[in-house]
Amino acid sequence: MHEGKGRRLNKPKRVAAFVFISPAVLFLVVFSVIPMLYSFGISFFHYNTSMNADTIRFIGLKNYVSVLTNKQFLDSACWTFIFTVSAVALNLLFGMTLAVVLTTNFLPRISKVMKTVFTIPMMIAPIVIATIWKLMFSPIYGVLNGLLVSMGLDRVEWLSAVVPARIALVIVEVWATTPLCMLIFMAALKTVPEELLEAATIDGANWRQKFFQVTMPLIRNFTVLVLTMRFMDAIRMFDIVYNLTNGGPGTSTETLASTIYKMAFRYYNVGEGSAGAFIFFVLIVLFSLLIMKLTGKEE
């Protein structure tokens, strides 16, 4: 009897929960799930928006085979992987370093100012970031080449040579995304009990031993969070590439996202672009699961 009464009492709560979450669910279904399913269906058709509608026909897995044998797609996949690993590694290194420096009691007034300065990139739109850095990378009037010349070094063709252009993209990505990593690590370091660090000091541990044997294990979950989040974000990088190098010189800095975009909207091959997008989606899921598996810890 009491069970039935409890269920009747909980029913209004369940109805209220459904009412509150239904707009978000409806929004996701209409603007995410349905377009995704429609795109998945298109990936099995020869669908070119520059041609008449009567040319649309079912071709099965041919789009997927075409994408997987496309040299440009494979080259952009390799570069995307290199870019992602480089950017995420530097994010972790610089984010943790800045967090450690800014959470110490060394020069507290300067630390407050630096926290504000280092979070500025988070407030700037990616298009604006790309435009600013494009000016800085200018071969003649750019700030970076001006500094190199002042030190007696040669100018660098940052955006017109393959290796410098790739380095430039990594620099811009790291500059724009490290502040978020820094803030997460700063919050993580605040969770480390001072008593443990003091006990380690009493036991004779130096700063390196305290950091790697006490602090790092305690903030391990935060590190996994930053690693997973930044990996999924960096591998999808599009806007900075599109506005800074547009995939050049040639196609050397094309990422998977920009390659798929051009495939679908510049060359109007929507069917092949949809197939490439789903292959990209599967790669992201597999890499994310791999990261979670490698960084997971048995209870």
Side-chain angles (χ1 to χ4, degrees):
M1 182 174 179
H2 291 291
E3 262 183 56
K5 187 176 180 181
R7 288 175 183 174
R8 286 196 299 272
L9 290 174
N10 288 330
K11 187 176 180 180
K13 293 183 179 180
R14 290 198 297 269
V15 172
F18 176 77
V19 169
F20 281 117
I21 68 172
S22 57
V25 173
L26 181 63
F27 183 87
L28 287 174
V29 170
V30 173
F31 294 102
S32 183
V33 176
I34 293 177
M36 186 180 296
L37 294 176
Y38 179 70
S39 178
F40 182 67
I42 288 176
S43 68
F44 296 102
F45 285 81
H46 175 271
Y47 194 150
N48 193 308
T49 54
S50 66
M51 302 174 70
N52 293 330
D54 55 9
T55 62
I56 301 174
R57 65 184 187 278
F58 180 80
I59 58 174
L61 297 174
K62 288 185 179 180
N63 281 329
Y64 289 90
V65 174
S66 177
V67 169
L68 291 173
T69 56
N70 186 323
K71 184 178 183 301
Q72 174 54 43
F73 185 86
L74 297 177
D75 289 344
S76 64
C78 291
W79 159 237
T80 302
F81 179 76
I82 295 170
F83 167 82
T84 301
V85 171
S86 303
V88 173
L90 292 173
N91 279 145
L92 293 174
L93 175 62
F94 293 146
M96 180 62 76
T97 301
L98 290 173
V100 170
V101 171
L102 295 178
T103 52
T104 59
N105 294 323
F106 179 70
L107 299 176
R109 291 184 180 178
I110 295 178
S111 295
K112 291 180 181 179
V113 175
M114 296 308 293
K115 288 176 187 177
T116 304
V117 171
F118 286 139
T119 54
I120 289 177
M122 294 176 58
M123 308 172 192
I124 306 175
I127 295 177
V128 178
I129 290 174
T131 303
I132 293 171
W133 279 93
K134 197 168 188 176
L135 295 173
M136 294 177 66
F137 286 129
S138 174
I140 299 175
Y141 304 107
V143 174
L144 297 181
N145 275 343
L147 292 173
L148 293 176
V149 170
S150 67
M151 293 186 292
L153 302 174
D154 294 331
R155 298 179 186 273
V156 177
E157 297 293 332
W158 287 103
L159 303 180
S160 57
V162 175
V163 175
R166 290 181 169 182
I167 293 174
L169 284 175
V170 174
I171 291 173
V172 176
E173 176 72 6
V174 171
W175 181 84
T177 56
T178 295
L180 178 61
C181 303
M182 178 193 74
L183 292 177
I184 295 175
F185 283 133
M186 287 176 65
L189 292 173
K190 294 291 186 181
T191 66
V192 179
E194 289 291 334
E195 296 81 3
L196 292 179
L197 297 176
E198 292 173 0
T201 302
I202 294 172
D203 289 339
N206 55 35
W207 70 268
R208 187 182 293 103
Q209 291 171 323
K210 286 191 291 184
F211 181 75
F212 287 105
Q213 297 180 21
V214 178
T215 302
M216 286 300 292
L218 291 175
I219 64 171
R220 182 176 179 280
N221 290 337
F222 290 92
T223 305
V224 174
L225 170 66
V226 172
L227 177 62
T228 307
M229 181 178 63
R230 281 298 305 128
F231 173 83
M232 290 190 292
D233 188 45
I235 200 172
R236 296 182 294 107
M237 207 264 278
F238 168 77
D239 38 20
I240 291 177
V241 171
Y242 187 79
N243 291 282
L244 188 63
T245 65
N246 197 22
T251 57
S252 60
T253 59
E254 293 279 16
T255 59
L256 278 173
S258 64
T259 298
I260 293 168
Y261 168 81
K262 291 181 179 179
M263 191 182 294
F265 300 107
R266 179 171 293 184
Y267 307 122
Y268 306 108
N269 198 337
V270 178
E272 198 168 302
S274 297
F278 273 91
I279 293 171
F280 189 24
F281 171 74
V282 171
L283 288 175
I284 292 176
V285 172
L286 291 177
F287 277 118
S288 300
L289 291 175
L290 179 62
I291 290 175
M292 294 172 67
K293 180 68 176 178
L294 293 176
T295 56
K297 187 175 182 181
E298 297 290 339
E299 291 293 336

